[in-house]
Amino acid sequence: MMKLAVVETKLLTREPGALFSLLIPLFILVVFGSSIQPGDTVLLPMALAIAVGMVGLYLLPTTLATYRERGILRRLSATPVRPGNLLVVQLILQLILAVTACGLLLAVAGTVLGAHLPTGVLSAVLVFLLGTASLFAIGLLIAALAPNGRAANGIGVLLYFPMAYLAGLMQPKDQMPAMVARIGEYTPLGAFGQSMREIWAGAAPSPLLLGVLAGYALVVSIAAAKFFRWE
């Protein structure tokens, strides 16, 4: 298991998508961060949601679908290293990547941009875990259904951009039709982003939105497990 983790870590560090998951949210934060007002409660939560969304909807499903396409999962089933171990290692590494991306955003925002950071650390951690779980579950479902890595990447793109729009990551929510903005709050990315914004504003995250995230994580994970195939 440890040797597998080391090998997968080396492969992940060479993956361009991993670098993009770190740099694109950081680029957005730095470009727009110079013009934000003190106490802003939108930009940094938005960047955090973008970072986790890129890992969960792009990198995770593309990696797993590519492994299945190349027969790696099938070959592992004939060795002492079970394919399930690879799945666990990949989930852990992708979680570490998401944590690293968010940590980098928080560090730059707090030290360079002087952005407002929340005091509700435990609430922020809870929302992060639930949001990451819901988006990773969707990534696993994409990997389960996509025939190959290219298709998984394409499906991730098709899901990400509508979800990002509905979540208010591409256009301010106050400039969106009220009904559309309301619907967007109940998407995984929207519930994640809105809960983060509430924490940044000094409020407690909505229990309803937390339930939405937990529901997505549970239901979609069950569907991914049902449809996932090793070859």
Side-chain angles (χ1 to χ4, degrees):
M1 190 79 166
M2 184 58 67
K3 290 182 179 180
L4 179 63
V6 171
V7 171
E8 289 300 311
T9 300
K10 290 179 180 179
L11 292 175
L12 183 62
T13 57
R14 298 170 186 170
E15 172 60 48
L19 183 62
F20 293 151
S21 297
L22 292 173
L23 295 184
I24 291 178
L26 182 62
F27 175 78
I28 293 172
L29 177 68
V30 171
V31 168
F32 293 100
S34 59
S35 60
I36 63 173
Q37 299 296 321
D40 178 78
T41 62
V42 175
L43 180 60
L44 188 49
M46 178 185 74
L48 295 173
I50 290 173
V52 177
M54 290 187 67
V55 175
L57 298 179
Y58 287 158
L59 196 56
L60 176 61
T62 301
T63 300
L64 293 178
T66 300
Y67 279 4
R68 185 178 59 241
E69 177 188 3
R70 294 177 178 174
I72 295 174
L73 300 180
R74 174 176 50 81
R75 290 196 295 270
L76 280 177
S77 63
T79 71
V81 181
R82 309 302 296 178
N85 292 343
L86 177 60
L87 180 59
V88 171
V89 168
Q90 271 296 321
L91 287 173
I92 292 173
L93 290 178
Q94 301 290 349
L95 176 60
I96 291 173
L97 178 61
V99 171
T100 301
C102 291
L104 182 61
L105 290 170
L106 291 171
V108 171
T111 59
V112 178
L113 301 177
H116 166 67
L117 298 177
T119 56
V121 176
L122 292 180
S123 295
V125 170
L126 175 62
V127 170
F128 171 81
L129 292 176
L130 288 175
T132 301
S134 66
L135 292 166
F136 275 29
I138 295 174
L140 289 173
L141 182 59
I142 294 172
L145 298 176
N148 52 53
R150 181 174 296 182
N153 185 268
I155 295 171
V157 171
L158 289 176
L159 285 178
Y160 179 82
F161 283 102
M163 286 175 58
Y165 172 75
L166 290 171
L169 305 183
M170 301 176 67
Q171 180 179 355
K173 294 184 66 175
D174 56 7
Q175 297 179 15
M176 296 168 59
M179 181 62 70
V180 173
R182 187 63 176 171
I183 292 172
E185 289 184 2
Y186 296 99
T187 64
L189 206 54
F192 183 26
Q194 179 60 31
S195 296
M196 280 295 187
R197 283 190 286 269
E198 289 172 352
I199 292 172
W200 251 255
S206 165
L208 176 59
L209 295 183
L210 295 180
V212 167
L213 291 174
Y216 275 116
L218 178 61
V219 174
V220 180
S221 292
I222 293 173
K226 179 178 180 180
F227 292 109
F228 196 86
R229 58 198 189 280
W230 301 108
E231 54 182 288

